[in-house]
Amino acid sequence: MTSLRVADVVRSSYVDGPGHRYALFLQGCTFNCPGCHNPHTIAPRSPDARDVPVAEIVADVAEVAPFLTGITVSGGEATLQWEAVHALFEALALDPATSRLTRLVDTNGDAEAGVWSVLATSMHGAMVDLKALDPHVHRVLTGRTNDRVLRSIRDLAARRRLDEVRLLVVPGVNDTADQIDATGRWLASIDPVPPVVAQGFRHHGTRLRARAWAEATTRDLERVADGLAAYGLDVRRRSLPEVAVAV
Amino acid sequence: MGAEEHRQRVRSIIEDPALTYRQRVYALAGAAEDALDPPAVSAACALALDKGLICDLAEGHAPYRPRYTLPDYARALARGSTFLELPPPTTFDEATTFLLAAYANVPSITGYPVWFGDLDRLLEPFAADLDDDELRTRLRRFWVLLDRLFPDAFAHANLGPADGRVVRAALGVHRDVHQVVPNLTLRVDPDVTPDDLLLEAARTIVTVAQPHLVNHPMMVADLGERYGVVSCYNALPVGGGSHTLVRLNLLEAARRHSGSAERFLDTTLPGAIALTAELMEARIRHVVEQARFFESSWLVDEGLLSLDRFTAMFGIVGLAECVEHLLLLDGREGRYGRDRAADDLAHDIVERAAAIVHALPMPHCEATGGHALLHSQAGLDSDAGFTAGTRVRVGDEPDLYRHLAAVAPNHAHLPSGVSDIVRLDETVVDNPEAVVDVARGALALGMRDVTFEVANGEFVRVTGYLVRRSEIEKVAAADAVRHSSSVLGAGSFANAGLDRRTAQRVRSHERTVGT
Ligand code: SF4
């Protein structure tokens, strides 16, 4: 029986996609972001994570399904366990109590094209984080380069599975005028152009290394959003940026 | 009350800086009424009242008008009114003018009308000639007048379940004006109310914590098509209302009990219900037979109210503590909302209370088969030490699903209304779709009423009405506030610990009416 390595379960979430959602946070991440709000989910294993069989998750979701729009699998990085996520989504699609629910993945985008070709058959969409377009800045913010992230965004859009691209605004790091311009231009070239969400960086839950970065203000978010909107993008501003879901 | 005590009460009202002129006038009328002896009851009943086992909710010693009236405004608009000297309106402006004139002449326990009617159904025929902007402008003006003329958050308007231009405009206006009046209810029928209308309501909910939602099919099954939701979620027949609302404190009943929970259901509970019913009967007879309200009201003369559309409300409070107390007597421990055994006992108590109340004959309650209706009473500003109605303890609410599962089974037994408050995390503000999800799920679970509150919002739900946080602060500072309900709200806030983050020093002076 397939299992998922689960860091946290939030059965009632308003911040992990459209509507009221069941959110599953998987253990393990390919990045190591200093600004991560859930650093305990980064390591591939953790004494706090549990292996939960797919059937058990489906039963738990089914119990509260009448109250939900859907389920979101997040992380950590959900695609590290893509085979199990796919199995979960297929099981949810087959169970009459849960088949109505939308199945979304919240991802850092750091996955191979092959992963998306499989998941595209079982998920409704993905919400992808873009920490920075510039690979050097991306490395500062995540510890890794971003070529796979950019490819994922293009690939998911082409498969009609890209629900939104989220930009985490870290003042003075990834929000310079030239970066906003380049990012706006690049996003506008995606086909179809995805909705964009500008979220502000917060210290809440982050590790010490990230405390040197300033928190984003509403003004910062407005400036970034306006800069991106100049490229014709549909930019949504979250009034409560980056809420820590599991601490 | 002795003469000297009475003079002191009058004096303290007259000199109370926290009351507006009008609030003082109403309080003085209440003091005058209370100079009379209350309707005669047995010694046992009087003692139960004195000791707080039962409570007449400060209705006054000599009731001379029904507590809640729901005039048939549709009939009034169709026929015009001799009393008001107004012909049937033909335009939107005439219709709202007509309604405002009628509201000002409706008797009530608070001095303000508790029901403004089914505003969308009443006004929709007059909206046909107006474009959307004109409709919104006029509705907004009407809304402002409702709040300024009747500044009492018990004053309640109803909308839905069907879609229409007025209901949509009203939800938009309500979101914009940031008023606590009117208190607002949207009827929801999963087969009739479209998703996007519910979403429109959800946008208003995340902004101003209203409207309250009711399960329309469930209401119709219990009360028929012609029902309205008034005051703190009291569901009652239109063209009638409720003579009185008396409540039984279940915690006090449990304190007078010894023995098993089983025995409580078989002996103590029925005994306490009989005492409560005795007081209700005395009060109903006073309104109808001694004060003879129905022989001298223009609303009755013109067919907007009739005695055969009346009932009475039997309220219960303190279920949460009652259950804990009974479990302790049994040598068990458990909290309602947290433990299955406690939930089961709570449901048994409510079910049994409903069976007894609904089998007990009550005079002048023809609208509901000659008996009163059980009601989960939303509390009073002066309440302390027990939880309102059949709610789980404030501040002890479990997670959303557990909370709803604990309270939902009670709803079938409370035909005249429940007011469980579902507090949503403030992150919901960006995601009103989620409110629609939760509401639909709650209705599917068999909830009769769904009331949402957004954590840390400017609008705080007190018993069943809203107050603005800023006004509570004014009351604390002894400034007069326009809404009499805010004076009550301030008391509740402090006594019930509705907001544990804010320590308030509050004096509460006014008669605890409404709810
Ligand atoms: S990608 Fe997300 S989960 Fe992974 S380290 Fe970065 S912030 Fe944390």
Side-chain angles (χ1 to χ4, degrees):
Chain A
M1 181 54 170
T2 315
S3 291
L4 287 101
R5 180 142 297 211
V6 175
D8 282 294
V9 176
V10 174
R11 297 169 96 219
S12 169
S13 167
Y14 310 127
V15 294
D16 292 290
H20 189 219
R21 309 191 72 82
Y22 186 107
L24 202 58
F25 297 85
L26 303 188
Q27 183 69 34
C29 189
T30 50
F31 290 169
N32 189 0
C33 307
C36 182
H37 294 292
N38 303 307
H40 67 284
T41 64
I42 296 174
R45 293 184 182 276
S46 150
D48 297 329
R50 289 186 307 132
D51 282 324
V52 188
V54 163
E56 198 176 300
I57 299 172
V58 173
D60 195 47
V61 176
E63 202 183 302
V64 297
F67 294 89
L68 301 173
T69 285
I71 172 170
T72 298
V73 181
S74 182
E77 174 46 35
T79 57
L80 264 179
Q81 302 181 46
W82 63 273
E83 284 169 296
V85 173
H86 179 61
L88 170 66
F89 282 178
E90 289 201 315
L92 287 166
L94 283 174
D95 190 314
T98 55
S99 59
R100 173 186 71 79
L101 304 179
T102 56
R103 302 176 291 273
L104 304 183
V105 169
D106 184 338
T107 172
N108 65 18
D110 190 35
E112 292 297 342
V115 168
W116 297 123
S117 71
V118 173
L119 278 178
T121 65
S122 63
M123 74 173 182
H124 290 90
M127 300 171 283
V128 186
D129 288 333
L130 176 57
K131 298 270 158 76
L133 186 69
D134 181 308
H136 301 291
V137 178
H138 194 273
R139 196 177 279 282
V140 171
L141 286 171
T142 69
R144 292 287 182 92
T145 184
N146 64 2
D147 46 335
R148 288 209 294 190
V149 179
L150 303 186
R151 212 176 333 120
S152 289
I153 289 174
R154 278 196 190 284
D155 186 31
L156 283 163
R159 294 177 188 279
R160 302 295 187 270
R161 290 291 185 280
L162 183 59
D163 278 8
E164 65 184 31
V165 173
R166 295 170 174 171
L167 303 174
L168 179 70
V169 178
V170 187
V173 180
N174 64 0
D175 70 339
T176 56
D178 55 325
Q179 286 193 75
I180 295 169
D181 274 343
T183 308
R185 197 173 313 118
W186 185 77
L187 286 170
S189 76
I190 305 292
D191 182 26
V193 179
V196 178
V197 175
Q199 303 190 116
F201 170 68
R202 289 278 185 224
H203 286 156
H204 189 97
T206 61
R207 290 165 293 181
L208 268 182
R209 279 184 287 159
R211 300 296 161 102
W213 298 331
E215 292 199 336
T217 63
T218 312
R219 276 259 272 319
D220 293 327
L221 283 184
E222 288 297 324
R223 182 170 41 79
V224 171
D226 290 346
L228 295 169
Y231 289 88
L233 299 167
D234 165 18
V235 188
R236 297 165 195 174
R237 296 141 224 233
R238 291 264 154 86
S239 59
L240 294 160
E242 287 277 299
V243 172
V245 280
V247 198
Chain B
M1 188 185 296
E4 183 50 34
E5 203 185 329
H6 183 66
R7 270 196 291 277
Q8 267 175 22
R9 176 170 165 193
V10 170
R11 173 64 57 194
S12 73
I13 293 166
I14 285 174
E15 294 178 359
D16 189 341
L19 297 179
T20 63
Y21 161 72
R22 204 164 163 179
Q23 286 158 1
R24 289 183 211 192
V25 172
Y26 286 133
L28 288 172
E33 183 186 340
D34 288 351
L36 300 179
D37 287 332
V41 290
S42 70
C45 180
L47 186 66
L49 188 57
D50 187 49
K51 297 289 181 201
L53 173 64
I54 56 184
C55 171
D56 66 4
L57 298 164
E59 265 178 20
H61 286 184
Y64 53 100
R65 70 296 199 206
R67 186 179 184 104
Y68 303 116
T69 59
L70 293 77
D72 186 345
Y73 293 117
R75 182 184 167 104
L77 290 178
R79 299 183 174 217
S81 166
T82 322
F83 178 81
L84 297 174
E85 297 179 64
L86 288 171
T90 56
T91 66
F92 193 89
D93 289 347
E94 284 177 12
T96 51
T97 303
F98 188 110
L99 289 172
L100 290 169
Y103 300 152
N105 288 282
V106 169
S108 121
I109 201 83
T110 58
Y112 297 105
V114 292
W115 198 53
F116 293 133
D118 303 305
L119 284 182
D120 54 344
R121 280 189 241 171
L122 293 173
L123 295 174
E124 193 75 34
F126 302 100
D129 296 340
L130 305 174
D131 68 29
D132 285 350
D133 278 352
E134 290 167 338
L135 173 58
R136 225 182 137 94
T137 306
R138 281 173 167 77
L139 209 53
R140 190 187 170 103
R141 198 182 302 146
F142 181 55
W143 237 244
V144 167
L145 283 173
L146 290 179
D147 180 76
R148 305 307 190 270
L149 294 174
F150 311 108
D152 187 285
F154 303 115
H156 209 126
N158 295 177
L159 300 170
D163 206 349
R165 290 176 64 221
V166 174
V167 59
R168 288 193 181 247
L171 289 168
V173 165
H174 200 70
R175 184 157 75 223
D176 287 349
V177 294
H178 280 243
Q179 296 171 178
V180 296
V181 182
N183 203 343
L184 197 63
T185 283
L186 178 72
R187 301 173 158 99
V188 182
D189 182 339
D191 293 334
V192 173
T193 313
D195 269 332
D196 61 341
L197 179 61
L198 204 47
L199 180 58
E200 191 63 16
R203 291 195 184 104
T204 307
I205 288 170
V206 299
T207 317
V208 294
Q210 283 181 327
H212 166 77
L213 306 176
V214 296
N215 189 331
H216 184 63
M218 199 169 171
M219 288 294 191
V220 170
D222 287 329
L223 298 172
E225 280 285 344
R226 293 177 65 217
Y227 75 92
V229 179
V230 313
S231 199
C232 293
Y233 318 128
N234 307 346
L236 293 165
V238 171
S242 178
H243 297 294
T244 183
L245 166 57
V246 174
R247 72 178 192 192
L248 168 62
N249 185 328
L250 293 169
L251 170 62
E252 289 299 325
R255 284 192 177 137
R256 284 161 179 72
H257 175 75
S258 57
S260 68
E262 209 47 41
R263 246 180 80 83
F264 178 81
L265 294 173
D266 291 338
T267 59
T268 307
L269 182 65
I273 287 176
L275 290 173
T276 314
E278 184 191 336
L279 180 63
M280 291 176 75
E281 174 165 353
R283 300 188 62 82
I284 294 170
R285 290 200 187 281
H286 189 279
V287 176
V288 179
E289 297 166 16
Q290 193 159 358
R292 304 214 302 248
F293 170 81
F294 291 89
E295 293 169 33
S296 59
S297 166
W298 72 279
L299 293 158
V300 179
D301 294 344
E302 300 194 6
L304 310 185
L305 291 179
S306 63
L307 181 55
D308 62 5
R309 294 286 296 159
F310 271 80
T311 185
M313 294 169 66
F314 187 111
I316 48 174
V317 290
L319 178 66
E321 291 77 11
C322 169
V323 166
E324 287 171 22
H325 191 89
L326 292 176
L327 287 176
L328 278 182
L329 288 182
D330 258 2
R332 292 185 283 164
E333 253 181 68
R335 270 145 71 214
Y336 173 43
R338 301 264 169 197
D339 302 289
R340 261 290 123 70
D343 291 1
D344 290 346
L345 179 55
H347 303 153
D348 287 348
I349 292 169
V350 174
E351 187 178 358
R352 185 69 67 91
I356 301 169
V357 168
H358 296 159
L360 214 58
M362 193 60 73
H364 306 301
C365 288
E366 277 72 41
T368 54
H371 60 76
L373 298 178
L374 192 66
H375 177 68
S376 173
Q377 201 273 329
L380 280 182
D381 67 313
S382 52
D383 287 345
F386 59 91
T387 301
T390 52
R391 293 180 194 167
V392 299
R393 271 180 197 267
V394 176
D396 193 32
E397 293 91 347
D399 75 63
L400 176 74
Y401 306 113
R402 190 70 188 75
H403 184 185
L404 297 183
V407 298
N410 296 328
H411 285 217
H413 307 297
L414 297 156
S416 58
V418 206
S419 56
D420 291 310
I421 296 174
V422 181
R423 187 177 264 230
L424 302 173
D425 184 276
E426 62 193 322
T427 55
V428 82
V429 168
D430 285 332
N431 192 355
E433 288 84 356
V435 177
V436 175
D437 289 334
V438 177
R440 284 228 184 273
L443 296 180
L445 196 64
M447 287 189 59
R448 180 184 301 277
D449 298 63
V450 190
T451 306
F452 293 109
E453 178 181 73
V454 178
N456 297 317
E458 155 72 348
F459 290 81
V460 181
R461 200 169 288 281
V462 177
T463 54
Y465 58 96
L466 290 179
V467 294
R468 286 195 292 226
R469 217 171 266 277
S470 53
E471 288 208 349
I472 289 181
E473 279 149 22
K474 275 201 229 164
V475 176
D479 290 343
V481 289
R482 208 162 43 79
H483 295 94
S484 43
S485 42
S486 295
V487 182
L488 305 182
S492 289
F493 220 66
N495 288 332
L498 288 176
D499 188 338
R500 302 203 179 279
R501 294 169 300 278
T502 326
Q504 301 277 2
R505 251 184 330 101
V506 174
R507 293 174 302 145
S508 177
H509 317 265
E510 203 181 343
R511 300 202 320 152
T512 46
V513 293
T515 65

